[in-house]
Amino acid sequence: MAGASASFSPIQHIPPIRRNILSRGLSSMCTRLPWAAPMACAPDAAPELLQAAKLTVDNYVRSGMVVGLGSGRASGLAIQYLGRRMRDGALKDIVGIPMSVSSASEAAKSGIPMDHYKDNLQIDFAFDDADIIEEGTLNAVIGRRKLEGGESIIQEKSIVKTASKLAFIVSDKQYTRDLDGSIPVLINSGNWIETAEEIDDLFLGDAEVWRRPTSGPAGPLGGDFPLVTKEGHHILDVIFTSPILDLGQVAESLSHIDGVVDHGVIFGIPCTVIIASKDGIQVADNLAKSSVIDKL
């Protein structure tokens, strides 16, 4: 790969499935690996995203609820607005369960009382960002962002799946049938290369498999400082070079690979999606047998 660091040379010392990855390169770092340059990739919050965040709080949060507080730009706006509604007295006795360090920080600044996530905790409602939502099924991908210290894709996913009601807040560009980009996969750190090879074989020709680094250049081997989650796992970013035709099937396939602990796909659960666009806010859900979309 052009510009590969010296730690990846000579190429003959790299496992065979890695050689084609190094030779192809990565054409769009922001699109396919958004954690690599988050500030450069993220646009300023659009007014329509703020309106979607407000609608989420106004329509779904009630006094006395335990609320899962999501991660990301839209969730941050929703947390700020939730705090404002509490200060105004419109909502009372809310307890927030933050999904990340950033959501906890935003909740603290907004004056929202918080508790830690526990396995037996009853969460009435949760909102979260998604990197992409599959139109129709409403299957979602989370975890592409750069993880800060103490953050956990596993915990975020657990809160989302535990909530009695769930809403994702996304832009219209993130709600699509044309799925692409990466899926983060949490794996056991021991014998990780074997797991990566099996994933590479599963999606042969359709995806590249890179181990996510803590710092330094991204690449198949994750550089000298691979990211280790708080649970002790490594993250492989499965970067699709062809369209993802069935996100649920991809998730099922990943779950059956030895060494895979979890992944960033959320599928098969009832949810609502608040979609922000310049033409207005749309709301889609899969609460009935078929997905329904309304324009507000």
Side-chain angles (χ1 to χ4, degrees):
M1 180 180 72
S5 66
S7 61
F8 298 131
S9 298
I11 198 167
Q12 57 264 29
H13 292 312
I14 298 168
I17 67 163
R18 297 288 166 267
R19 296 177 188 170
N20 62 335
I21 296 173
L22 286 176
S23 65
R24 285 199 296 266
L26 191 60
S27 61
S28 178
M29 185 69 74
C30 289
T31 300
R32 297 163 68 186
L33 289 177
W35 51 263
M39 296 306 294
C41 301
D44 292 335
E48 54 267 21
L49 200 62
L50 175 58
Q51 292 304 312
K54 289 181 176 180
L55 183 145
T56 302
V57 173
D58 288 339
N59 283 19
Y60 301 103
V61 179
R62 299 291 179 263
S63 294
M65 277 187 169
V66 176
V67 180
L69 308 175
S71 292
R73 185 176 298 271
S75 293
L77 295 172
I79 293 170
Q80 292 171 15
Y81 182 67
L82 175 57
R84 190 186 319 158
R85 297 296 283 167
M86 293 180 67
R87 292 192 299 272
D88 292 342
L91 293 170
K92 300 177 181 179
D93 302 322
I94 300 292
V95 176
I97 309 298
M99 298 184 194
S100 68
V101 172
S102 59
S103 56
S105 176
E106 201 62 64
K109 290 187 289 186
S110 299
I112 300 173
M114 288 178 286
D115 197 358
H116 296 292
Y117 173 71
K118 310 174 189 67
D119 288 339
N120 60 349
L121 183 65
Q122 176 61 48
I123 299 174
D124 300 297
F125 173 68
F127 57 81
D128 198 9
D129 284 48
D131 298 304
I132 198 163
I133 298 279
E134 187 174 44
E135 186 179 335
T137 66
L138 305 191
N139 294 331
V141 176
I142 64 170
R144 289 180 180 177
R145 71 182 187 279
K146 181 178 181 180
L147 298 181
E148 305 296 337
E151 291 190 346
S152 169
I153 294 174
I154 291 177
Q155 180 170 304
E156 181 178 357
K157 192 171 177 178
S158 296
I159 293 173
V160 163
K161 295 177 70 174
T162 300
S164 297
K165 294 183 178 180
L166 167 67
F168 288 110
I169 313 170
V170 298
S171 71
D172 56 347
K173 293 180 180 179
Q174 294 168 304
Y175 180 75
T176 178
R177 291 189 183 276
D178 301 321
L179 302 182
D180 60 7
S182 62
I183 294 176
V185 180
L186 293 144
I187 63 167
N188 293 319
S189 57
N191 298 321
W192 72 269
I193 289 181
E194 286 81 357
T195 304
E197 288 175 343
E198 191 169 348
I199 294 173
D200 189 88
D201 290 341
L202 178 65
F203 302 114
L204 189 63
D206 293 323
E208 301 171 359
V209 182
W210 287 20
R211 186 170 63 160
R212 189 179 299 191
T214 299
S215 60
L221 302 182
D224 296 325
F225 305 100
L227 177 68
V228 180
T229 69
K230 73 174 187 178
E231 296 92 356
H233 304 126
H234 289 182
I235 297 179
L236 296 179
D237 286 295
V238 182
I239 311 158
F240 282 83
T241 55
S242 300
I244 304 172
L245 300 180
D246 188 332
L247 193 55
Q249 182 58 53
V250 168
E252 289 279 11
S253 299
L254 288 170
S255 297
H256 287 93
I257 293 178
D258 288 340
V260 170
V261 177
D262 209 338
H263 48 70
V265 181
I266 299 172
F267 72 105
I269 62 173
C271 66
T272 300
V273 181
I274 316 299
I275 307 157
S277 74
K278 293 182 179 179
D279 296 327
I281 306 300
Q282 292 180 313
V283 179
D285 69 60
N286 60 1
L287 307 181
K289 288 185 178 180
S290 59
S291 180
V292 177
I293 187 164
D294 295 316
K295 187 170 183 178
L296 302 181

